[in-house]
Amino acid sequence: MADRILFVCHANLCRSPMAEYLAGWLLAKLPVEVASAGTAAVDGRSMHPYAAQVAAGTGRDPAAFRSRALTVGQLTDAALVLTATRRQRAACVSLAPAALHRTFTLRQFGRLAGLADAPDTTDAGALRAAARAAAQARGRLQPTSTAEDDLVDPIGGTPTDFRRCAQEIERSLTPVAALIDAAG
């Protein structure tokens, strides 16, 4: 299992690529790899043009990005799986049941990371320790609605809709980055 975060959405054209690029930018100094895939993705497609604008803002060129269909191997290889929606979380866990305890919606994990105690890194790397610390905070987080866990899909929307989605992704990733940094 790599020290990798896998971001998952539906088609791997908008939300998960934006999350991958934003996480790569926010976690650049941490010992973490990032990747993305889609539960219904068609391999080899370019990122949505509005998502590519967001991705370009991270300093990385999105031109080489190609969508990837989600596989069991990607799920079992990732130390942490963050999905755009509860439905995609369920699809991931259904595909790879062993990933249950390290698969969350991105927004849920962001809230958990903000509540987590300092990670214990005695027997795990920074990412695994951060994931475990956030998972242990689950009991302190009140249940939420689907609307509070799911990232709204900006497909069919305006550039503003994509920026709004990217802002929500970044807001969710900020406590994640802090937790991984505290573990590192």
Side-chain angles (χ1 to χ4, degrees):
M1 189 182 318
D3 281 339
R4 178 178 301 120
I5 300 173
L6 177 66
F7 294 96
V8 178
C9 71
H10 180 74
N12 194 216
L13 299 175
C14 301
R15 293 170 292 179
S16 60
M18 288 192 299
E20 176 185 345
Y21 277 68
L22 289 165
W25 173 63
L26 286 168
L27 305 172
K29 295 181 180 175
L30 300 174
V32 176
E33 298 173 20
V34 294
S36 65
T39 56
V42 174
D43 286 332
R45 292 196 172 163
S46 298
M47 195 182 304
H48 187 285
Y50 298 154
Q53 289 175 359
V54 168
T58 67
R60 288 178 47 211
D61 183 4
F65 177 86
R66 294 294 175 261
S67 60
R68 298 185 322 159
L70 183 65
T71 66
V72 172
Q74 293 164 331
L75 292 166
T76 57
D77 191 44
L80 178 62
V81 179
L82 299 176
T83 68
T85 68
R86 288 180 177 183
R87 185 176 188 180
Q88 286 138 11
R89 181 185 183 279
C92 290
V93 171
S94 178
L95 191 59
L100 172 68
H101 296 293
R102 51 191 167 78
T103 303
F104 305 82
T105 69
L106 172 61
R107 292 179 73 192
Q108 173 195 32
F109 195 78
R111 290 190 305 276
L112 290 169
L115 292 173
D117 294 330
D120 177 8
T121 59
T122 54
D123 65 344
L127 179 56
R128 286 182 190 81
R132 187 172 41 230
Q136 289 170 347
R138 273 185 170 149
R140 296 194 305 265
L141 189 65
Q142 292 296 315
T144 61
S145 69
T146 299
E148 291 178 279
D149 271 351
D150 290 0
L151 276 172
V152 174
D153 192 347
I155 195 73
T158 66
T160 300
D161 296 324
F162 278 76
R163 284 192 299 275
R164 205 173 293 129
C165 181
Q167 289 168 346
E168 186 59 41
I169 292 167
E170 188 173 346
R171 209 175 2 262
S172 296
L173 285 173
T174 299
V176 175
L179 186 62
I180 296 169
D181 189 38

